[in-house]
Amino acid sequence: MSDGFGKGCHLHLIDGSAFIFRAYHALPPLTRKSDGLPVGAVAGFCNMLWKYVTDERGSDAPTHAAVIFDHSSKTFRNDIYNAYKANRPEPPEDLRPQFPLTRDATRAFNIACIETQGYEADDIIAALSCKARDAGGAVTIISSDKDLMQLVGDGVQMLDPIKGKPIDRDEVFEKFGVWPDRVVDVQALAGDAVDNVPGAPGIGIKTAAQLITEYGDLETLLARAGEIKQPKRRQTLIDHAEQIRISKRLVELDCNTPLDFTLDSLEVKAPDAAQLLGFLSEMEFRTLTVRVAEKLGAKAPPVVSAPVRDAPAVPDLPPIDRAAYETITDGAGLDRWIQMIRDAGQMAIDTETTGLDEMQADLAGICLAVAPGRACYIPVGHVAGGDDLFGQSAPVAGQLPLADVLAALKPLLEDPAILKIGQNLKYDWKMLARHGIHMAPLADTMLMSYALNAGTHNHGMDELAERYLGHKCIAIKELIGSGKSQINFAQVPIDKAAPYAAEDADVTLRLFQHFAPLLPVERVTTVYETTECPIVPVLAEMEMAGIRIDAEVLRRMSGAFAQKMAALEDEIYALAGQKFTIGSPKQLGEILFDKMGMTGGKTGKTGAFSTSADVLEDLAAEGHDLPARILDWRQISKLKSTYTDALPTFVNPDTGRVHTSYSIAGAQTGRLASTDPNLQNIPVRTEEGRRIREAFIAAEGHRLVSLDYSQIELRILAHVADIPALKQAFREGIDIHAMTASQMFGVPVEGMDPMIRRRAKAINFGVIYGISSFGLSRNLRIPRAEAQDFIDTYFQRFPEIRAYMDRTIADAKSDGSVRTLFGRRINTPGINQSGPAAGGARRAAINAPIQGAAADIIRRAMIRMPAAIAHLPARMLLQVHDELVFEVREDAVDDLITVARAVMENAAEPAVKLSVPLVVDAGTGMNWAEAH
DNA sequence: ACGCTCACG
DNA sequence: GACGTACGTGAGCGTA
C-alpha cells in the first residue's frame, strides 16, 4: 500500500469492554420502548463513541483507530492457571444481549471492531501497540486499565477516557513504583484479587516495587531470594516462586498475539451518515439521533418510539422556521396578535433587554408565541448601531412606542383567563413590573423541567431545546458578541434580532407543550403548582425590594482590613524569608513544603500541595508560625475582597439598596441560590466576619427582623425516619445534641462535658450528610476507628436511621430518584455507578429528601407570607435557607414576629402533618448583626 | 476556563 | 481490596 502505516501515523486503540461496563453502570436501565430490549449500555457506549469521534484533537488526531473487545471469558490464560479470573461475577442478565449490539454500534460508527477467540482485548492491544510502534508510528491506548500500563513508553501512551488525562511513564511510576518495563514484575508479586492472579501472599504493590527496585528484576529477585533480610518475606518468595512465575505469565501481555488483519485496514474513515443514523434510530435513541444528524448535516430518520423518561414521542410539529416569524411594527399587527392570544387563551412571552440586571436594564423588545411556529417580535427600544458624540444612540425608526405596546398588552398579561408561558419568568415578571404590569397566571418551562428533571441536567432554555426538541437555538453571542466588543441587545439590527427573539418564544411554547403532559405522569404537578410557580412573584418582589447597605461602614472596614493585611504580609515575608504571592496556593505550597520542609501530603488531582485551612491548622497546631499567619491573612483577605470591597459595587444607584437575584432552579434539592451578590453567605461564624452584617441596615424608622427555623433538618429526619427518641426530645424541647450524647455515652444531660456534646452534634449533622467514619474523623480530628465506634453506637441506639438510609438508597436505585415529604423529586442518575463516585451519589441521595423537605417548608412559608403580612407595614427581603429577613416599621415589629412566626411554624400543613413541632426563633435590630 | 479556597445553611 | 468521602451552594483569586 502506498500510504501504509508508518512514521507520522497515530493509532488509537479503544478498550471497548471497559467502555461497555462503564456505560452500563453509569446509566439507568433503559429499555427500547417498542420491545423492551435493554439498551442502556448501548446508549452509553454510543454516546461515548460519539463524544470520542467529535472530540477536537487538532494535530493529535488519529490516522488509524480500532475498538477492541474481549471475545469470551475463556482464554489461553485459563490453560496456564485455571482459576484465572474465576471470581469474576457473570455479567448482569440485562447486559448480555447488549454485547453484540455494541459491536454493531462500533461498525455503525465506521470504526474497526476487533476481537479474537482465545485472547483478551489487552493482548490484541499489546500486539497492535508493538506493531505500530515498530513501524515508527505513535499509539494512544484509550483506557485506564492498570493491566495495560506495562505497554506505556516509547511512543505508546494511555489516555484516561473519563478524566481525559494522559497516562504516561510518570503516572505509571506513581501507581506501581517502577517504570513500565518492570510493571509486570510488580504485578506478578503483588497479584490481583480482581483477576484472581495469586502473586506472593502478603506482598502488595508497595513491597513488590521496593523489592524489584532493589534487585533489578523478578528473575534476579527470585534467584537471590535467600539474601532477603526479613525472614517471613524471604520464605514467602522461596516457597511461592513457581506461583509468582505463573502470575507473571498471567499479567504479561504478548506482543505476538496473532492478528489476522493489517494496520492499514484500521485507517480512520468518516462515519457513513445513513448507516450510523439507521443504527441509532433502530435503537430508538432519539436525542443522539438528532444530535448526530445535525452534526453530519443529514436528515434525522424518524424514531418510531422513544426511550421512556428522556424524550417521549413528540407530536407532529411544524419544524422551527425562523423565516416564518413576524416582526410587529404597526398597531394593526399588534391588534391582530392580541386577538389571536385571546382566542388561544395562552401566550408564550419573552422580553429582550439591554442587560442582564433586570433592575436596571431597558426593554428592547417583546416576543410572543401562540402556537408552535407562530411567533412574533415587537421591537420597542432598538437603537442605531454607533453612539453619537454625546454617547446617545438614536432610536431606530418604525418601532411602536413602548408605552403603547405595554398599554395594549397589559390587559392580556393581567387577565386571569390567559396563561402566560415563559422560560425563567421571574426575569420577565420583574421587567414588566417596573412598568406597572403584574403578570398572572404563570407557567414556567424552566420550573417544569426543574420539577421533572432536577438532578438530571440543568434547565436553561438552550439545553432544554436541544434535549427535548432536538433544536439548537441561536446563541446570543452571535448577535451581541462577547468580551470587550460586546454590544447590548437594543443595538442589534431588528432584522437580526427578530428571528432570535421570536425563536425563544416559539421554543418556550413548544417546551411547555412537551412538559405539561408529563407533570401528572411523573407525579410532580403538586410540587410544580404549589412550590415552584407561586414563588416567582414572591421572589420578584423581594429582589425588587432589596436591602439597604451602609456603604460607608463597609469602606471603613475595607481600610482597616487593608492595614491589617499589610502588617500580616510583612510578618509572612519575614517568616518565609522571601516575598511571594500569598494568595497563590501553588507558591505557598512550594514555600511551606519544599522550601521549609513541613510535612503535608499532596492532593490527588493536579499533584499540587493542598494548603486548605484544614492543612494549615494542623501545621499551626504543630507550632509553625507561618501557617497561622497565613490563616489570619486569608480570613481578612476573604472578608475584604468578597464582602467589604464587593458589596458596595452592588448598590443600585436608583434605590440605594442591594438587589440580589435568587435562582429557583439552581440547586438540585429545592433550595434557592442567591447570586449577584450572594447574600446567603454573609459571614456570621467569626466575630470579625459577623461585623459585616452591621452594614446591612433597616430603612429610616424601620427595623430588621430575622426569623429562623431551629434545627429544621434534624426535625425532618426525626419525622421521616420515625425515630421515637428524637421525636420525643423535640416535643419536650430539650437540647437535641445533649440528648444524643446522653443516649450514646450514657451520661446525664445535666452538667454534660461540652466536648461530648460537640461530638454528638457532629454525628447528628453527619447523619444528615450520609455519614462516613472518614468524614467524622476528619471533622472531629479523632482516629478513624474511634469515629467508626461512635457511628456504630449511634446506629445501635437509633436503628431507625440505618433503616431510613437503606430505604432511601433502595428507592433511589429502583426509581432513579428520591422524593421529599412534599413530593418534590430529585433524580439520582449516578446511584448505580460503581467505584468512588458511588459513595458520593449515595450520600447525596440520603441528604436530598431532608434538605429538600426543609426547602419545601420555607418555600411554602414564603408563598403564604405576602398575604399574611399585607396588613402590616412590613416586607420580606431575604431568604437564607432556614431564615427569613424582614424590614418592618419600628412600631410593628412585634405584630410582624407573631404573624410571620405562625406562618413559618405551620408551613408544612395541611400537606404534611409533622410528628415534631417546628420552632422559629426571632431577633430584631437596626442591622442584620443585631437581628440574627 | 478551571481549580483552589472559603463564606453560608 | 482500594478508591476517596461528610450534603447543598456562589464568588474571588491565581494560573493556564
Coordinates of all heavy atoms in Angstrom, one line a residue, chain A residues 330-371:
Chain A
D330 N -46.6 47.8 13.5 CA -47.8 48.8 13.5 C -48.9 48.3 14.3 O -49.0 47.1 14.8 CB -48.2 49.0 12.0 CG -48.7 47.7 11.4 OD1 -49.1 46.8 12.1 OD2 -48.5 47.6 10.1
G331 N -49.8 49.2 14.6 CA -50.9 48.9 15.6 C -51.8 47.8 15.1 O -52.3 47.0 15.8
A332 N -52.0 47.8 13.7 CA -52.9 46.7 13.2 C -52.3 45.3 13.5 O -53.0 44.4 13.9 CB -53.1 47.0 11.7
G333 N -51.0 45.2 13.3 CA -50.4 43.9 13.5 C -50.5 43.5 15.0 O -50.8 42.4 15.3
L334 N -50.3 44.5 15.9 CA -50.4 44.2 17.3 C -51.8 43.8 17.7 O -52.0 42.8 18.4 CB -50.0 45.5 18.1 CG -49.9 45.3 19.6 CD1 -48.9 44.2 20.0 CD2 -49.4 46.6 20.2
D335 N -52.8 44.5 17.1 CA -54.2 44.1 17.4 C -54.5 42.7 17.0 O -55.2 42.0 17.7 CB -55.1 45.1 16.7 CG -55.1 46.5 17.4 OD1 -54.6 46.6 18.5 OD2 -55.5 47.5 16.7
R336 N -54.0 42.4 15.8 CA -54.2 41.0 15.3 C -53.7 40.0 16.2 O -54.3 39.0 16.5 CB -53.5 40.9 13.9 CG -53.9 39.7 13.1 CD -53.6 39.9 11.6 NE -52.3 40.6 11.4 CZ -51.1 40.0 11.5 NH1 -51.1 38.7 11.7 NH2 -50.0 40.6 11.3
W337 N -52.5 40.2 16.8 CA -51.9 39.3 17.7 C -52.6 39.2 19.0 O -52.8 38.1 19.6 CB -50.4 39.6 17.9 CG -49.5 38.9 16.9 CD1 -49.3 39.4 15.6 CD2 -48.9 37.7 17.0 NE1 -48.5 38.4 15.0 CE2 -48.3 37.4 15.8 CE3 -48.8 36.7 18.0 CZ2 -47.6 36.2 15.6 CZ3 -48.1 35.6 17.8 CH2 -47.5 35.3 16.6
I338 N -53.1 40.3 19.4 CA -53.9 40.3 20.7 C -55.1 39.5 20.5 O -55.5 38.7 21.4 CB -54.2 41.8 21.1 CG1 -52.9 42.5 21.6 CG2 -55.3 41.8 22.2 CD1 -53.1 44.0 21.8
Q339 N -55.7 39.6 19.4 CA -56.9 38.7 19.1 C -56.6 37.3 19.1 O -57.2 36.4 19.7 CB -57.6 39.2 17.8 CG -59.0 38.6 17.6 CD -59.9 38.8 18.9 OE1 -60.0 40.0 19.4 NE2 -60.5 37.8 19.4
M340 N -55.5 37.0 18.5 CA -55.0 35.5 18.4 C -54.8 35.0 19.8 O -55.1 33.8 20.1 CB -53.8 35.4 17.6 CG -54.0 35.5 16.1 SD -52.6 34.9 15.1 CE -51.3 36.0 15.5
I341 N -54.2 35.8 20.6 CA -53.9 35.4 22.0 C -55.2 35.1 22.8 O -55.3 34.1 23.5 CB -53.0 36.4 22.7 CG1 -51.6 36.4 22.1 CG2 -52.9 36.1 24.2 CD1 -50.7 37.5 22.5
R342 N -56.1 36.0 22.6 CA -57.4 35.9 23.3 C -58.1 34.6 22.8 O -58.6 33.8 23.6 CB -58.4 37.1 23.0 CG -57.9 38.3 23.7 CD -59.1 39.2 24.1 NE -58.6 40.3 24.9 CZ -58.4 40.2 26.2 NH1 -58.6 39.0 26.8 NH2 -57.9 41.2 26.9
D343 N -58.0 34.3 21.5 CA -58.6 33.1 21.0 C -57.9 31.8 21.6 O -58.5 30.8 21.9 CB -58.5 33.0 19.5 CG -59.4 34.1 18.9 OD1 -60.3 34.7 19.6 OD2 -59.2 34.4 17.7
A344 N -56.6 31.9 21.7 CA -55.8 30.8 22.2 C -55.9 30.6 23.7 O -55.8 29.4 24.2 CB -54.3 30.9 21.8
G345 N -56.1 31.6 24.4 CA -56.2 31.5 25.9 C -54.9 31.4 26.6 O -54.8 31.2 27.8
Q346 N -53.8 31.4 25.8 CA -52.5 31.3 26.4 C -51.5 32.0 25.5 O -51.7 32.1 24.3 CB -52.1 29.9 26.7 CG -52.1 29.0 25.4 CD -51.7 27.6 25.8 OE1 -52.1 27.1 26.8 NE2 -50.9 27.0 24.9
M347 N -50.4 32.4 26.0 CA -49.3 33.0 25.2 C -48.0 32.7 25.8 O -47.8 32.6 27.0 CB -49.5 34.5 25.2 CG -49.4 35.1 26.6 SD -50.0 36.8 26.7 CE -48.8 37.7 25.8
A348 N -47.0 32.5 24.9 CA -45.6 32.4 25.4 C -45.1 33.8 25.3 O -45.4 34.5 24.3 CB -44.8 31.5 24.6
I349 N -44.3 34.2 26.3 CA -43.8 35.6 26.2 C -42.3 35.6 26.7 O -41.9 34.8 27.5 CB -44.6 36.6 27.1 CG1 -44.0 38.0 27.1 CG2 -44.7 36.0 28.6 CD1 -44.9 39.0 27.7
D350 N -41.6 36.5 26.0 CA -40.2 36.6 26.4 C -39.8 38.0 26.2 O -40.1 38.6 25.1 CB -39.3 35.7 25.5 CG -37.8 35.7 25.9 OD1 -37.5 35.9 27.1 OD2 -37.0 35.6 25.0
T351 N -39.1 38.6 27.1 CA -38.7 40.0 26.9 C -37.2 40.1 26.6 O -36.4 39.3 27.1 CB -38.9 40.9 28.2 OG1 -38.2 40.2 29.3 CG2 -40.4 41.0 28.5
E352 N -36.8 40.9 25.7 CA -35.4 41.1 25.3 C -35.0 42.5 25.9 O -35.7 43.5 25.8 CB -35.2 41.2 23.8 CG -35.7 39.9 23.1 CD -35.0 38.6 23.5 OE1 -33.9 38.8 24.1 OE2 -35.5 37.5 23.3
T353 N -33.9 42.5 26.5 CA -33.5 43.7 27.3 C -32.0 44.1 27.0 O -31.3 43.3 26.4 CB -33.6 43.4 28.8 OG1 -32.7 42.3 29.1 CG2 -35.0 43.0 29.2
T354 N -31.7 45.2 27.5 CA -30.3 45.7 27.2 C -29.3 45.2 28.2 O -28.1 45.6 28.0 CB -30.3 47.3 27.3 OG1 -30.8 47.7 28.6 CG2 -31.2 47.9 26.2
G355 N -29.6 44.4 29.1 CA -28.6 43.9 30.0 C -29.2 42.7 30.9 O -30.4 42.4 30.7
L356 N -28.4 42.2 31.7 CA -28.9 41.0 32.5 C -29.5 41.4 33.9 O -30.1 40.6 34.5 CB -27.7 40.1 32.7 CG -27.4 39.2 31.5 CD1 -26.2 38.3 31.7 CD2 -28.6 38.3 31.1
D357 N -29.2 42.7 34.3 CA -29.7 43.1 35.6 C -31.1 43.7 35.3 O -31.3 44.8 34.9 CB -28.8 44.2 36.2 CG -29.3 44.7 37.5 OD1 -30.4 44.3 37.9 OD2 -28.6 45.6 38.0
E358 N -32.1 42.9 35.7 CA -33.5 43.4 35.4 C -33.9 44.6 36.2 O -34.9 45.2 35.9 CB -34.4 42.2 35.5 CG -34.6 41.5 36.8 CD -33.5 40.5 37.2 OE1 -32.4 41.0 37.3 OE2 -33.8 39.3 37.4
M359 N -33.1 45.0 37.2 CA -33.4 46.2 37.9 C -33.0 47.4 37.1 O -33.4 48.5 37.4 CB -32.7 46.2 39.3 CG -33.3 45.2 40.3 SD -35.0 45.6 40.8 CE -34.8 47.2 41.5
Q360 N -32.1 47.2 36.2 CA -31.5 48.4 35.5 C -31.7 48.3 34.0 O -31.6 49.4 33.4 CB -30.0 48.5 35.9 CG -29.8 48.8 37.3 CD -28.4 49.3 37.6 OE1 -28.0 50.4 37.2 NE2 -27.6 48.5 38.4
A361 N -31.9 47.2 33.5 CA -31.9 47.0 32.0 C -33.2 47.7 31.5 O -34.2 47.9 32.2 CB -31.9 45.6 31.6
D362 N -33.1 48.1 30.2 CA -34.3 48.6 29.5 C -34.9 47.6 28.5 O -34.1 46.7 28.1 CB -33.9 49.9 28.7 CG -33.6 51.0 29.7 OD1 -34.3 51.2 30.7 OD2 -32.6 51.7 29.4
L363 N -36.1 47.7 28.2 CA -36.7 46.8 27.3 C -36.3 47.1 25.8 O -36.3 48.3 25.4 CB -38.3 46.9 27.3 CG -39.0 46.1 28.4 CD1 -40.4 46.5 28.4 CD2 -38.9 44.6 28.0
A364 N -35.8 46.1 25.1 CA -35.5 46.3 23.7 C -36.7 45.8 22.8 O -36.9 46.3 21.8 CB -34.2 45.5 23.3
G365 N -37.4 44.8 23.3 CA -38.5 44.2 22.5 C -39.2 43.1 23.3 O -38.7 42.7 24.3
I366 N -40.3 42.7 22.8 CA -41.1 41.7 23.4 C -41.4 40.6 22.4 O -41.8 41.0 21.2 CB -42.4 42.2 24.0 CG1 -42.1 43.3 25.1 CG2 -43.3 41.1 24.6 CD1 -43.3 44.0 25.6
C367 N -41.3 39.4 22.7 CA -41.7 38.3 21.7 C -42.9 37.5 22.3 O -43.0 37.3 23.5 CB -40.6 37.4 21.3 SG -39.1 37.7 22.2
L368 N -43.7 37.1 21.4 CA -44.9 36.4 21.7 C -45.0 35.2 20.8 O -44.5 35.2 19.7 CB -46.2 37.2 21.5 CG -46.2 38.6 22.2 CD1 -47.4 39.4 21.7 CD2 -46.2 38.5 23.7
A369 N -45.7 34.1 21.4 CA -46.0 33.0 20.5 C -47.4 32.4 20.9 O -47.7 32.5 22.1 CB -44.9 31.9 20.6
V370 N -48.1 32.0 20.0 CA -49.5 31.5 20.3 C -49.6 30.0 20.0 O -50.4 29.3 20.5 CB -50.6 32.2 19.6 CG1 -50.8 33.6 20.2 CG2 -50.4 32.3 18.1
A371 N -48.7 29.5 19.1 CA -48.8 28.1 18.7 C -47.4 27.8 18.2 O -46.6 28.7 17.8 CB -49.8 27.9 17.6

